[in-house]
Amino acid sequence: MSIRIFPSRGDIAVAAADRVAEYLVSTSAPSLGLAGGSTPADLYRELTTRTLPWEKVTCWLGDERWVPLDHPDSNTAMARRLLTDATGVRFVAPDTSLATPRDAAKAYTDVLPSPGLVLLGIGDDGHTASLFPHTEALRDTRDAYVANWVDEKDTWRLTATFSLLDRADQIVFLVAGAGKADRIKEIIDLDIAHPAQRVASRSKQVTWMLDEGAAAQLSSRRPREG
C-alpha cells in the first residue's frame, strides 16, 4: 500500500493524471475504471490536457446511479462531459434505459473490459463505488457488477463488486476534504472493515492519494508531498 499526501485537491489531480498517464502508455490494451465525484472531475479535466494514446484505451464506470443519462447525478454524463467526449476514448457505460437495474447490471457485465487501473473515492460512511455499508452488494459474489438497493439513499445503484475490483491491476483512491479524515484514519490506521477498507486490503496494488484535510488524523509519520 502506498499513501501519498498533497497540499490540495488540485495537486491530487495532477499527480493522479501522472499515474494514469504512466499506466496508459505502458499497457498494450489499458482499461480505466472511472469514478464520480468532484476530486475525479478535477483529474478528468487535467487528463484532457495530456497527449495520451486514447485510441487504445477503454473507459468504464465503477458505479452508476439509476437515473437517466441526462440527469445531473449521472456519472456517465459527467464522464462524457469532462473526459470521454473530449478525448474520443472508447467508453462503455451502463444502460439505465433498460427495464430494471438488475437488467442493466447484467447487460453491463457482458461488455465490461478486464479491470486495469480503477479510480475510486470514499464516502463519509466508508463506502466506495456503490458498495454501501449494510447492503446486499457487500456479499462476495462471482458477479462482476450488480444492482444494489441503498436504503439511506432510497434508490438503486449499479456497482462493481469486490469480485471485479479484486481483479484490477491497480486501485487508486482519490480522497479530499477534512470531512473524510475520520474514515481515512479508520481505514488506513485502524483497519476497520468499511467497504473501502475491504477493497484496499484485497487489492494487488493500492495507492491512496489524499489532501491534507483527508489525511489530518493519520499518523504524523506519514510523508507529505509538495
Side-chain angles (χ1 to χ4, degrees), residues 46-101:
E46 175 66 24
L47 283 171
T48 63
T49 70
R50 310 289 183 97
T51 300
L52 293 168
W54 293 114
E55 69 281 355
K56 69 177 185 176
V57 182
T58 299
C59 289
W60 55 281
L61 284 173
D63 73 316
E64 180 58 289
R65 297 169 172 89
W66 186 243
V67 296
L69 289 179
D70 59 356
H71 194 282
D73 290 338
S74 168
N75 286 339
T76 299
M78 184 194 84
R80 285 177 173 163
R81 184 177 71 255
L82 298 181
L83 179 66
T84 66
D85 286 354
T87 59
V89 66
R90 179 173 182 258
F91 179 36
V92 292
D95 186 353
T96 58
S97 71
L98 295 179
T100 71

Side-chain angles (χ1 to χ4, degrees), residues 71-165:
H71 194 282
D73 290 338
S74 168
N75 286 339
T76 299
M78 184 194 84
R80 285 177 173 163
R81 184 177 71 255
L82 298 181
L83 179 66
T84 66
D85 286 354
T87 59
V89 66
R90 179 173 182 258
F91 179 36
V92 292
D95 186 353
T96 58
S97 71
L98 295 179
T100 71
R102 290 189 176 92
D103 290 338
K106 184 177 185 303
Y108 198 43
T109 299
D110 293 339
V111 298
L112 280 169
S114 177
L117 189 153
V118 182
L119 303 167
L120 293 172
I122 71 163
D124 294 346
D125 59 358
H127 82 266
T128 192
S130 281
L131 296 168
F132 283 82
H134 315 299
T135 58
E136 286 296 311
L138 299 186
R139 294 188 304 171
D140 275 318
T141 174
R142 293 183 180 179
D143 295 325
Y145 222 84
V146 296
N148 194 30
W149 175 257
V150 183
D151 273 338
E152 66 184 86
K153 304 290 185 182
D154 193 30
T155 190
W156 286 98
R157 296 287 187 95
L158 308 175
T159 187
T161 62
F162 291 123
S163 176
L164 177 62
L165 297 174

Side-chain angles (χ1 to χ4, degrees), residues 23-30 56-57:
Y23 165 72
L24 296 184
V25 300
S26 65
T27 308
S28 59
K56 69 177 185 176
V57 182

